[in-house]
Amino acid sequence: MVSLQDMSTIHSPGSSSPRGRLCVLPQREIQSSTFRLDYYPEININCDAFNSTSIAGSSLASAKCSDSWRNVLVPVNEGILKRITRTFFESGFAEALNEARDTQVSGGNTMISSVAEFTFRTLEFFKRVKSKVFPHMKEQGIASIAKHSETRDWIRSYIRCIVWHPNCFKIAVAGMDDIVRIYTDEPAIVPVLKSSSQKWITSMAWRPYTAAELAVGCQKGICLWTMDNNMHITRSTSQAIFLKHPNHCPITSVQWNSDGTLLASASISDTDVIIWNVDKMQNTALKRVGPPCSLLKWSPNSSCLFSSTVTNVFRVWSCENKWQPERWTITQGTVQSACWSPCGGFLLFVTSEESILYRLQFFEEQIFQNGSSPKQALPVADLSKITVDDRELGGQPQCVAWDPNGLYLAITFKDTPCIAIFSTCVQKFNLSISPACFLSGNGNEYPSYVCFQSKHRKNNDTVLTIGWSSGRIQYFPFGNM
Amino acid sequence: MSAATVLECKKLCLYRCLTAVALSIMMQFFLLTVFLLFVNFHIFHLLNWITETFSLMFSFYTWLSIMPLISAVIIYGILLGKSHLAVKQYYGTRFKWLLGTIVRKSLFLMIHIAVGFLTAWLYARYLHVDYRSLVYQCYGMECINSYYLFLVGSGISAGCYYFLKENLRHEPEVEYPIIQENKIVKLRSLLYSTMYKSLMKSFVPSMCYAFAFWIFGDIINARFARFFDLEMDTSLSSFFSVLTNLRILFYSWILQSQILSNMNLMQKFFSILLAEEMQFVIEKNPVVTEGQKEVTLVEALTMTQVPIIQTLAALDLFNMTGTSAAHRRKEIYALSIPGGHPYNWNQLSSQCLAIINAFIDDLTTSVKNISTMKSTPLFCQTDKPTATEAAEKILLRQYNETYGIRRMVSEPPTANIGSSSTSGGVSSTTPTAVQRINEQFEAISKQIEQALNTAFHTIPGVFYMFGEPDGARTVFLLSNSQIIVWLTQGLAGICAESLVEDKYGVVQVALPQIIRTLLKLKNELDKLNNVNLNGKKLDRNLITLKNSVRRSLYKIVSVFGDYLRDLFDDPMEIRSLQCFVSYQEV
């Protein structure tokens, strides 16, 4: 089988390469709040029009609370059968069954409740059997999404995802309230994208070479928004196209290729990566036997697609060479976050168990490949926890982001509140990395999500965008460093 | 374009078709093995089951008796290959379609029936002894075997069912995959999904067939019995005997699923093999060895007789935007060795533009015929005066009025009305006899024409058969627009890369032309925004084409955004492109 050809394993860090040669964490702190950029929109999701009910309802509470209108209406006395029928038509079979099981609702009628209880138990039994037989088809809860998300504390984070448009000044910010806000350099207008089926937003991607097409990966599938320029208000579901594939939800990662022709999506309950041709509404699955996929990263020139799974396996698909995958395994944990160099030649990644930054190289294989040494991922930086002036830095990495010029690398961590910045230099066949500085937030803020502004005609600067845990978004320009 | 090149292109396709036919033949053996494994299954003699199946497979008898089926498969392959390579025809009305395709379709139906019959005939030989032959001994006489008739009929019905479902309304055509995976991977996943899906798909048809056999089986049985001068068999004549004979229902289901998967596999083999990407050379090798002819990309793009080659060339151009094709792009930007002309690029760009322009022209004429477009012209022909012109006029009029200067020219609309009314008056006063008769005849002919027209639309079936639905031609054009989708994006990619890679600036000469063509195509497609095409509000082909043209424009403009003023003179063009530069296009 193709997938099993390349059984390269990554050697454990300490063994062959001494830790002393690894790059260490930066020791110099930079006061990030002193920099201010003129026309960048000021974003603070926390104090935005955020009503408490929608926070409670959106992701954390059960579906019952989410229908806020139901809590507003005064209950009336209605017959048990009528109530169950109404619930069935309003909320579906599962809710109706719950309603019928509830002895308080059914009043004295024990027969209905016992029949419902029996049905419920039978269904549960079948579900359990199914999950035993097909362990990969198990329904994935919110906790497992959070585990594989690049966002720190995804469940409670005010900011779940930030993406920059690759060609113009547009930022999409997904909040905990399942609303996507679009910010441009015109601060007066903030269009919001809201839909009842758009819940648990895990990732977003702007379609390259379009004015405003946004793919939002969420619980039930991919929400594809096409905005026109005079759109300022909330839109209903009808304007969004919903892409669904059987057993392909919840979506954990969506990525467009650099041309905007193909959309790739991964779900932690599906072993296949789905490649969509959105215009034609066609899709193809990249089928491989194994664990479900979690994270996708398309290389900047679209020649490779990185896909990590929920176990220690990850693959790199060569898109220009018949989509043949290279299969890689890491010693323990899963790939937590990964990023490509601007040239597409290097891949940096961090795992969920080790405080090490790894590097993989992807070109001119035929020149350097010889039989004796298998391809290996090299550890390039040691991210173990250190303390600098009573500020904690390092530990388990959460997310890595590389700027589109290939000069800076930002890494956030799972339990320390600072962002480590490394300066990098990508040469033709080599990558050098050195510690630069670290950033910290106000008070006890920690970074939820970081990304770099995309490089395009109007923007050549390197601007790190940080979504802090307080809901504040900060821009950190590297121009004056 | 020389005949040798056409021949070369046809050879390329022929090779692929032959591979598909060979694969189809191999599939017959494979499917027979699967069938035998299904029907000979013994839970207690597993080893015996497998050895028996394989010894049957490799016996001389099997190889001899599979020959008729294989010859039918080869004929089917030839027909499929022909229709895949044919130039797509447009049939405006259903009547024209019927006339144009009836021969081909009936041939297709016949070959479907033949494959169905021969499969059933072959497979029945490996079944239980009751099902093997047409004639069996009953009560000392020779009877016709209704089980056998049932199975053969099941095979024929499966063939017909597949024809009706897949091949009656649509022509077999190549489906281009969205990503170019390895051929083996595609074939493997096709095999798995087909085997699995055909079991599902054939269940209902096989049950329907059993129901039909219960109704008509007796008649058929009697006919055959009389024809062969045999006794009739009544074992399958009652409803319950059909329903309770689970074994024959199972056999018929498996048989039908095998036939459906066989047909589907054959068609998909052609599709997969023909749609596989092909790399054409940019420039012919100057030292051509005899017998080894190369087809260049431009030659392939001109190949209207072999549309598959043309589309594959467009795909090749589209793939040239990737990083791995940098050396091929370099060849395009290169200058010719004696002479130093950008020969490759000039030929390529002019050929691409010619194809796109021809498409735009076809589209424009077809759009003009759509009735909803006729009634409401999108763009007013009369030029609107600009605000400054209008203001000037008003100022002048005010000046004249204040100084008491009389207006010499009346307003244009009123002048028109006046003149027409006067001319009408003149003609009505002097009618001659000839004119009057002429007018009456004209009126009568007009009435007849109108009556025929209403009859055409009101008599049920007439318009259905002889009328051309609104926008059918546009839909046809759009359904063949895959080549344009790839050409626009491929051209845009080459133009975008040229800023860095094109050392001599050869692309810049044709760049304004390319951008103008793309803009023209975009405007033409925008006209179709709210048009109901063939009863469909959203035509996927239209959306695909529109989005790809738009993305191509964005791609070129985001690279050349700073140089628009150097490329274009017309401020209107610059203004329309400026929207793309700022990503503000609506």
Side-chain angles (χ1 to χ4, degrees):
Chain A
M1 274 180 56
V2 188
S3 63
L4 297 173
Q5 269 175 358
D6 198 345
M7 281 291 285
S8 337
T9 49
I10 292 157
H11 63 163
S12 62
S15 60
S16 68
S17 135
R19 283 212 174 194
R21 291 184 59 200
L22 293 184
C23 170
V24 290
L25 282 168
Q27 307 273 337
R28 179 169 64 105
E29 185 178 359
I30 289 232
Q31 286 303 321
S32 56
S33 50
T34 52
F35 302 107
R36 200 157 289 281
L37 289 163
D38 291 341
Y39 57 94
Y40 281 59
E42 211 168 282
I43 308 172
N44 198 337
I45 295 279
N46 186 15
C47 56
D48 250 18
F50 223 36
N51 52 357
S52 55
T53 52
S54 71
I55 297 174
S58 60
S59 314
L60 304 173
S62 71
K64 250 184 189 173
C65 299
S66 70
D67 298 329
S68 46
W69 53 269
R70 215 194 263 186
N71 302 337
V72 174
L73 297 182
V74 180
V76 289
N77 283 327
E78 54 184 343
I80 163 78
L81 277 176
K82 193 179 171 190
R83 179 186 289 244
I84 292 170
T85 325
R86 181 181 56 79
T87 320
F88 175 73
F89 283 110
E90 276 172 5
S91 320
F93 178 74
E95 270 307 300
L97 197 63
N98 279 337
E99 193 87 31
R101 273 171 63 214
D102 199 343
T103 42
Q104 273 187 342
V105 175
S106 56
N109 202 334
T110 48
M111 199 184 77
I112 289 179
S113 65
S114 54
V115 167
E117 188 68 41
F118 178 73
T119 323
F120 181 76
R121 291 255 167 99
T122 324
L123 284 178
E124 281 295 296
F125 174 73
F126 276 116
K127 261 188 206 165
R128 258 203 315 263
V129 170
K130 194 181 157 198
S131 69
K132 284 265 162 58
V133 178
F134 306 106
H136 63 279
M137 303 252 282
K138 200 172 65 186
E139 265 183 40
Q140 295 293 338
I142 194 163
S144 53
I145 293 179
K147 193 181 153 205
H148 295 105
S149 172
E150 283 185 303
T151 313
R152 177 166 164 184
D153 195 10
W154 179 83
I155 297 180
R156 273 173 289 277
S157 168
Y158 284 121
I159 294 166
R160 288 200 162 153
C161 191
I162 307 168
V163 274
W164 280 93
H165 194 290
N167 310 107
C168 58
F169 195 99
K170 265 188 194 138
I171 322 166
V173 181
M176 187 162 70
D177 50 355
D178 300 319
I179 294 175
V180 179
R181 294 168 175 78
I182 313 288
Y183 298 89
T184 54
D185 39 8
E186 279 177 81
I189 305 158
V190 181
V192 293
L193 306 177
K194 192 176 172 184
S195 156
S196 58
S197 42
Q198 179 178 288
K199 291 205 167 110
W200 299 4
I201 298 170
T202 49
S203 69
M204 299 188 289
W206 287 102
R207 189 173 189 177
Y209 302 116
T210 55
E213 276 187 58
L214 184 72
V216 181
C218 47
Q219 185 197 6
K220 288 178 183 158
I222 305 166
C223 226
L224 200 73
W225 296 92
T226 309
M227 294 156 258
D228 48 41
N229 284 321
N230 35 19
M231 188 208 77
H232 307 312
I233 44 160
T234 313
R235 305 191 126 204
S236 63
T237 342
S238 60
Q239 270 99 354
I241 305 170
F242 220 78
L243 303 178
K244 279 183 187 172
H245 195 263
N247 294 325
H248 195 70
C249 59
I251 302 283
T252 43
S253 189
V254 284
Q255 286 263 302
W256 285 100
N257 71 346
S258 63
D259 285 339
T261 47
L262 299 174
L263 176 74
S265 69
S267 160
I268 45 168
S269 58
D270 193 1
T271 57
D272 304 339
V273 176
I274 307 281
I275 306 286
W276 302 82
N277 184 333
V278 170
D279 292 335
K280 283 195 173 174
M281 284 291 165
Q282 289 175 338
N283 58 58
T284 314
L286 295 177
K287 283 182 193 293
R288 282 297 176 271
V289 180
C293 290
S294 55
L295 182 70
L296 294 176
K297 294 278 166 168
W298 221 306
S299 74
N301 52 16
S302 288
S303 60
C304 294
L305 176 68
F306 164 88
S307 73
S308 77
T309 63
V310 295
T311 61
N312 63 342
V313 177
F314 70 92
R315 290 191 176 85
V316 179
W317 304 80
S318 160
C319 310
E320 285 171 354
N321 186 20
K322 304 274 180 198
W323 290 82
Q324 284 174 358
E326 269 180 30
R327 186 177 184 272
W328 295 80
T329 49
I330 49 176
T331 44
Q332 51 176 329
T334 62
V335 173
Q336 174 64 41
S337 177
C339 57
W340 286 92
S341 69
C343 60
F346 296 99
L347 177 80
L348 293 182
F349 67 91
V350 288
T351 67
S352 60
E353 300 291 324
E354 295 165 305
S355 315
I356 300 279
L357 177 71
Y358 286 104
R359 170 197 119 173
L360 265 179
Q361 191 169 319
F362 278 99
F363 44 74
E364 304 296 332
E365 283 164 28
Q366 62 273 28
I367 298 175
F368 294 108
Q369 206 171 37
N370 46 9
S372 58
S373 67
K375 256 176 94 175
Q376 281 181 334
L378 300 172
V380 285
D382 179 15
L383 309 173
S384 321
K385 201 183 275 186
I386 54 166
T387 312
V388 182
D389 302 339
D390 49 278
R391 280 201 189 275
E392 279 195 323
L393 178 64
Q396 297 270 314
Q398 174 73 46
C399 173
V400 287
W402 208 339
D403 97 276
N405 291 314
L407 298 175
Y408 296 99
L409 181 79
I411 302 182
T412 62
F413 300 94
K414 276 186 179 155
D415 12 67
T416 48
C418 297
I419 306 167
I421 308 287
F422 295 89
S423 60
T424 54
C425 180
V426 184
Q427 286 150 348
K428 182 110 190 170
F429 299 116
N430 198 18
L431 165 76
S432 55
I433 181 165
S434 54
C437 61
F438 67 89
L439 308 173
S440 54
N442 303 335
N444 48 7
E445 276 180 338
Y446 60 84
S448 296
Y449 194 86
V450 290
C451 66
F452 280 94
Q453 185 181 356
S454 49
K455 188 174 97 172
H456 49 88
R457 231 174 58 84
K458 278 187 183 165
N459 173 54
N460 255 326
D461 310 330
T462 303
V463 179
L464 179 67
T465 313
I466 310 158
W468 293 102
S469 57
S470 59
R472 175 173 71 98
I473 286 186
Q474 188 198 346
Y475 310 98
F476 180 77
F478 283 89
N480 38 13
M481 260 183 71
Chain B
M1 175 187 4
S2 65
T5 330
V6 179
L7 196 69
E8 193 62 31
C9 292
K10 284 199 171 156
K11 245 194 242 166
L12 287 174
C13 293
L14 185 70
Y15 173 71
R16 292 179 169 203
C17 289
L18 285 180
T19 322
V21 172
L23 268 175
S24 309
I25 291 170
M26 269 157 59
M27 251 330 109
Q28 304 313 314
F29 288 97
F30 173 75
L31 287 174
L32 184 59
T33 319
V34 172
F35 181 74
L36 289 180
L37 287 174
F38 254 118
V39 296
N40 290 343
F41 184 67
H42 285 290
I43 188 98
F44 299 115
H45 307 285
L46 284 178
L47 206 66
N48 207 8
W49 164 55
I50 290 174
T51 49
E52 214 170 81
T53 307
F54 280 95
S55 66
L56 259 180
M57 264 322 291
F58 292 106
S59 68
F60 179 69
Y61 170 75
T62 307
W63 285 66
L64 197 69
S65 51
I66 209 170
M67 281 305 144
L69 177 61
I70 284 181
S71 44
V73 164
I74 291 172
I75 297 173
Y76 186 51
I78 293 169
L79 284 180
L80 271 180
K82 272 193 99 163
S83 47
H84 273 108
L85 296 186
V87 182
K88 256 195 177 179
Q89 290 280 330
Y90 171 66
Y91 300 108
T93 65
R94 285 186 172 80
F95 185 67
K96 275 188 199 160
W97 173 80
L98 201 66
L99 279 187
T101 59
I102 192 157
V103 179
R104 197 167 63 238
K105 291 283 170 192
S106 41
L107 267 180
F108 249 96
L109 176 62
M110 263 146 63
I111 200 71
H112 274 86
I113 290 174
V115 171
F117 168 73
L118 288 171
T119 315
W121 174 80
L122 174 71
Y123 284 22
R125 280 163 188 268
Y126 298 97
L127 294 178
H128 188 259
V129 75
D130 289 355
Y131 306 88
R132 271 186 203 166
S133 60
L134 185 65
V135 181
Y136 78 117
Q137 295 290 326
C138 57
Y139 316 115
M141 291 178 295
E142 291 210 316
C143 293
I144 197 139
N145 187 352
S146 58
Y147 290 156
Y148 187 78
L149 274 185
F150 183 88
L151 284 179
V152 169
S154 168
I156 293 176
S157 77
C160 291
Y161 171 74
Y162 190 81
F163 172 76
L164 291 177
K165 203 161 156 268
E166 300 290 330
N167 283 342
L168 180 66
R169 202 66 191 105
H170 330 107
E171 294 293 319
E173 59 176 323
V174 184
E175 287 164 24
Y176 294 93
I178 56 175
I179 53 172
Q180 289 284 343
E181 275 181 291
N182 200 345
K183 204 161 45 182
I184 308 290
V185 175
K186 269 190 279 187
L187 290 176
R188 191 180 55 194
S189 67
L190 167 74
L191 196 62
Y192 291 160
S193 68
T194 308
M195 300 294 288
Y196 173 72
K197 273 184 199 153
S198 65
L199 275 180
M200 307 284 150
K201 274 186 189 163
S202 62
F203 186 74
V204 175
S206 69
M207 291 304 119
C208 290
Y209 168 73
F211 185 70
F213 191 84
W214 165 61
I215 298 174
F216 303 109
D218 267 353
I219 307 166
I220 297 166
N221 237 336
R223 284 278 163 88
F224 269 92
R226 207 178 311 147
F227 185 76
F228 290 108
D229 204 13
L230 298 168
E231 287 302 309
M232 232 180 95
D233 176 30
T234 51
S235 53
L236 275 182
S237 57
S238 81
F239 181 63
F240 280 101
S241 64
V242 177
L243 200 67
T244 49
N245 196 337
L246 285 180
R247 184 188 270 247
I248 202 163
L249 288 181
F250 173 74
Y251 283 163
S252 129
W253 175 40
I254 298 295
L255 185 68
Q256 291 213 353
S257 90
Q258 294 274 316
I259 292 169
L260 290 192
S261 27
N262 193 3
M263 298 275 176
N264 189 38
L265 282 174
M266 280 195 270
Q267 279 207 358
K268 289 283 156 65
F269 283 157
F270 272 90
S271 203
I272 288 177
L273 288 167
L274 283 172
E276 209 199 351
E277 60 186 350
M278 200 186 264
Q279 276 206 358
F280 297 93
V281 292
I282 308 292
E283 198 174 355
K284 268 195 181 150
N285 195 354
V287 237
V288 175
T289 47
E290 199 54 46
Q292 197 184 14
K293 258 192 95 27
E294 286 172 317
V295 182
T296 61
L297 185 60
V298 179
E299 275 174 349
L301 279 175
T302 51
M303 206 54 63
T304 38
Q305 298 101 314
V306 196
I308 287 191
I309 292 288
Q310 208 180 12
T311 318
L312 286 176
L315 175 63
D316 193 28
L317 190 75
F318 172 71
N319 286 339
M320 229 177 271
T321 48
T323 40
S324 60
H327 63 283
R328 301 186 71 207
R329 281 199 299 272
K330 210 170 167 187
E331 269 184 77
I332 294 179
Y333 305 134
L335 302 181
S336 64
I337 284 303
H341 289 291
Y343 183 71
N344 293 340
W345 166 250
N346 284 351
Q347 271 206 321
L348 182 67
S349 62
S350 61
Q351 181 56 37
C352 291
L353 288 181
I355 295 174
I356 297 173
N357 277 323
F359 180 80
I360 295 175
D361 291 343
D362 281 352
L363 194 68
T364 317
T365 42
S366 78
V367 165
K368 269 183 199 149
N369 291 335
I370 298 176
S371 58
T372 45
M373 303 284 288
K374 261 189 246 167
S375 56
T376 51
L378 263 176
F379 301 104
C380 214
Q381 288 302 317
T382 51
D383 286 30
K384 254 189 181 170
T386 58
T388 42
E389 278 173 350
E392 224 166 65
K393 258 186 194 166
I394 290 167
L395 274 178
L396 196 69
R397 198 180 298 161
Q398 278 174 347
Y399 175 85
N400 288 349
E401 272 167 15
T402 44
Y403 289 95
I405 300 170
R406 192 162 48 90
R407 196 184 301 168
M408 298 299 287
V409 187
S410 53
E411 293 288 319
T414 45
N416 270 345
I417 293 162
S419 67
S420 68
S421 67
T422 49
S423 65
V426 172
S427 65
S428 63
T429 49
T430 56
T432 61
V434 182
Q435 263 179 340
R436 234 180 309 163
I437 291 165
N438 211 1
E439 263 171 33
Q440 271 178 352
F441 264 109
E442 256 173 36
I444 290 166
S445 71
K446 212 174 255 177
Q447 265 181 351
I448 292 171
E449 204 175 286
Q450 219 160 27
L452 278 178
N453 206 6
T454 40
F456 184 68
H457 283 276
T458 48
I459 297 174
V462 176
F463 182 76
Y464 180 83
M465 210 61 203
F466 301 100
E468 186 173 351
D470 232 11
R473 195 170 170 84
T474 315
V475 170
F476 172 77
L477 281 174
L478 287 172
S479 72
N480 287 336
S481 62
Q482 185 60 57
I483 177 168
I484 309 292
V485 169
W486 282 332
L487 277 185
T488 48
Q489 294 183 72
L491 268 185
I494 290 174
C495 291
E497 299 289 347
S498 76
L499 191 66
V500 184
E501 294 178 5
D502 178 12
K503 274 187 262 172
Y504 310 106
V506 296
V507 171
Q508 282 163 30
V509 183
L511 194 59
Q513 195 77 39
I514 290 172
I515 295 176
R516 256 180 227 131
T517 311
L518 289 180
L519 268 180
K520 198 171 148 198
L521 182 56
K522 184 195 160 276
N523 289 336
E524 205 56 47
L525 290 170
D526 280 347
K527 284 184 199 166
L528 290 169
N529 262 350
N530 289 317
V531 178
N532 236 345
L533 287 174
N534 238 1
K536 274 185 284 179
K537 193 80 191 161
L538 281 171
D539 189 283
R540 276 283 142 212
N541 296 316
L542 175 65
I543 294 172
T544 311
L545 184 57
K546 214 159 49 178
N547 283 353
S548 72
V549 171
R550 205 175 285 172
R551 273 203 313 276
S552 314
L553 273 170
Y554 271 122
K555 191 164 190 175
I556 298 181
V557 166
S558 50
V559 172
F560 287 96
D562 295 332
Y563 313 103
L564 285 183
R565 276 169 212 289
D566 308 322
L567 289 168
F568 292 97
D569 298 329
D570 188 2
M572 284 305 284
E573 274 174 338
I574 294 177
R575 193 181 301 165
S576 59
L577 285 174
Q578 210 64 44
C579 304
F580 282 96
V581 176
S582 54
Y583 280 79
Q584 293 282 321
E585 183 253 355
V586 182

